[in-house]
Amino acid sequence: MSTSSPPMFANRVTELLGVEIPIVQAPMGWIARSQLASAVSNAGALGIIETSSGELDIVREEIRAMRDLTDKPFGVNIAQAFVRDPGIVEFVAGEGVEFVTTSAGSPTRYTAALKDAGLTVFHVVPNLAGALKAVDAGVDGLIVEGGEGGGFKSPRPVSTMVLLPLVASKVDVPIIAAGGFVDGPTMAAAFALGAEGVQMGTRMVSSAESPVHDNWKQAVLAADETDTVFLNRHTSPALRALRTSRTTALEHDTESNAMALFGQAMELYFGGDMEAAIALSGQVAGRIEAIEPVERIIRTCAADCLAILADLARRYPAAVARG
Ligand SMILES: Cc1cc2nc3c(=O)[nH]c(=O)nc-3n(C[C@H](O)[C@H](O)[C@H](O)COP(=O)(O)O)c2cc1C
């Protein structure tokens, strides 16, 4: 945190994560590596390194590269369905990581061991039952993720607008909201609905420092808000991805498992063939209009969020007077 100026945001999330701005870059297989995550951390928010690629040897190098690229805090995600390595807790703790998000699995599996190792743990939840279970398991906080977000999803998606205030009304732990966050207005809305931070996936995929092929970034810019598909509702995991000819054909397919396409993921992610696999992305693709550097995204988002909160207080002074 800057010592020269007062903190712009001060809440439980900035305190627990040790960041100036409560924005978290989403973990994303192959994408959330040191190039992107260090840019986010250096901008005053929190970069996260993925493990969902399952490439733990490379992930270890990426975590070590973070030490050279930033002196700011960063975290690691354990995507439980994709990393079945029994030594994952020792792996993360052994690399000196202090903040971890767990997702795609039960919060009872790793929370106690991660807490015993001294880590701060936030668990990703798609519904209220999952949130209560995670709190019971002893997590420090929740990432409450609405079904409009990109990536792997509950087969029964609930929008952020419904899920976030519901969970916030039932738990006392700090919440980072995910699914649909892209700018100052959405960040201010998250705060109004009970969150103390936001996580951004699709916005970060399409940032300048994202390592994905430019075709994916351009496809995000070209997307309308209706241009994602929800796949695999009949099996597991469900996922939300950009609409292409290939994913449109899978949209109502209840026979095949879209996960089979991940075998060709690299052809899409880094080769730019948008029909080769699945470009995980959220509905908020329809609101992204430019490829911008991470620092500009984060600084603009934070400043606009504060301006909106201040403007609301000015426009409704009775609210301030009533306390
Ligand atoms: C390309 C991509 C890959 C993702 N991979 C992961 C992952 O490995 N682990 C995880 O917890 N979430 C993953 N997610 C979900 C994000 O963490 C995040 O919560 C979601 O993108 C938020 O919604 P948004 O896309 O509207 O910002 C992924 C999302 C995207 C777009």
Side-chain angles (χ1 to χ4, degrees):
M1 186 175 296
S2 162
T3 49
S4 54
S5 54
M8 291 201 288
F9 294 90
N11 61 28
R12 291 180 294 175
V13 166
T14 56
E15 198 169 306
L16 278 170
L17 276 52
V19 294
E20 184 191 346
I21 300 170
I23 297 176
V24 175
Q25 159 251 309
M28 299 177 280
W30 296 279
I31 302 168
R33 294 193 170 174
S34 58
Q35 175 177 308
L36 176 60
S38 65
V40 174
S41 290
N42 283 331
L46 195 82
I48 299 259
I49 299 287
E50 58 88 17
T51 59
S52 51
S53 63
E55 297 175 346
L56 291 192
D57 287 342
I58 296 173
V59 167
R60 181 182 288 109
E61 294 311 312
E62 291 294 312
I63 294 172
R64 292 182 181 168
M66 287 295 282
R67 312 268 178 223
D68 297 327
L69 296 169
T70 182
D71 57 3
K72 301 278 179 59
F74 63 92
V76 171
N77 169 244
I78 300 177
Q80 296 175 206
F82 307 100
V83 187
R84 299 183 190 276
D85 189 323
I88 189 70
V89 171
E90 292 72 23
F91 172 86
V92 174
E95 293 301 320
V97 173
E98 292 173 8
F99 177 74
V100 67
T101 65
T102 51
S103 57
S106 171
T108 57
R109 184 151 169 217
Y110 291 127
T111 303
L114 288 163
K115 295 289 299 164
D116 286 349
L119 282 92
T120 299
V121 183
F122 275 49
H123 189 69
V124 180
V125 296
N127 53 40
L128 178 60
L132 298 176
K133 190 173 174 186
V135 170
D136 273 353
V139 298
D140 297 287
L142 298 173
I143 308 219
V144 172
E145 190 181 78
E148 59 268 71
F152 301 102
K153 296 264 100 45
S154 159
R156 293 181 177 175
V158 183
S159 68
T160 301
M161 183 64 115
V162 170
L163 184 62
L164 177 55
L166 174 65
V167 173
S169 72
K170 307 283 186 193
V171 306
D172 291 325
V173 298
I175 293 173
I176 295 169
F181 298 99
V182 71
D183 57 6
T186 48
M187 185 171 176
F191 279 41
L193 295 173
E196 293 172 55
V198 295
Q199 172 164 286
M200 292 182 189
T202 305
R203 186 83 203 256
M204 293 296 166
V205 176
S206 52
S207 69
E209 290 88 345
S210 162
V212 303
H213 194 281
D214 195 50
N215 288 356
W216 187 347
K217 299 184 191 184
Q218 296 300 333
V220 168
L221 301 195
D224 291 335
E225 75 280 16
T226 47
D227 282 338
T228 64
V229 290
F230 196 78
L231 303 178
N232 260 11
R233 196 185 288 267
H234 62 289
T235 176
S236 183
L239 32 97
R240 184 175 295 284
L242 274 184
R243 181 179 295 286
T244 62
S245 300
R246 189 143 195 192
T247 60
T248 297
L250 284 169
E251 195 173 10
H252 303 291
D253 180 341
T254 53
E255 300 288 307
S256 34
N257 187 334
M259 286 301 288
L261 289 181
F262 271 87
Q264 291 89 52
M266 297 305 102
E267 289 166 38
L268 186 154
Y269 279 49
F270 306 112
D273 179 354
M274 296 301 292
E275 299 292 347
I278 294 177
L280 298 172
S281 310
Q283 290 178 339
V284 78
R287 296 203 53 225
I288 297 171
E289 294 175 349
I291 300 165
E292 292 185 86
V294 158
E295 183 173 15
R296 191 184 311 153
I297 292 172
I298 288 170
R299 293 280 156 182
T300 306
C301 183
D304 288 355
C305 172
L306 290 176
I308 288 163
L309 296 177
D311 185 51
L312 286 171
R314 266 194 304 274
R315 283 165 57 196
Y316 302 98
V320 179
R322 286 162 65 106

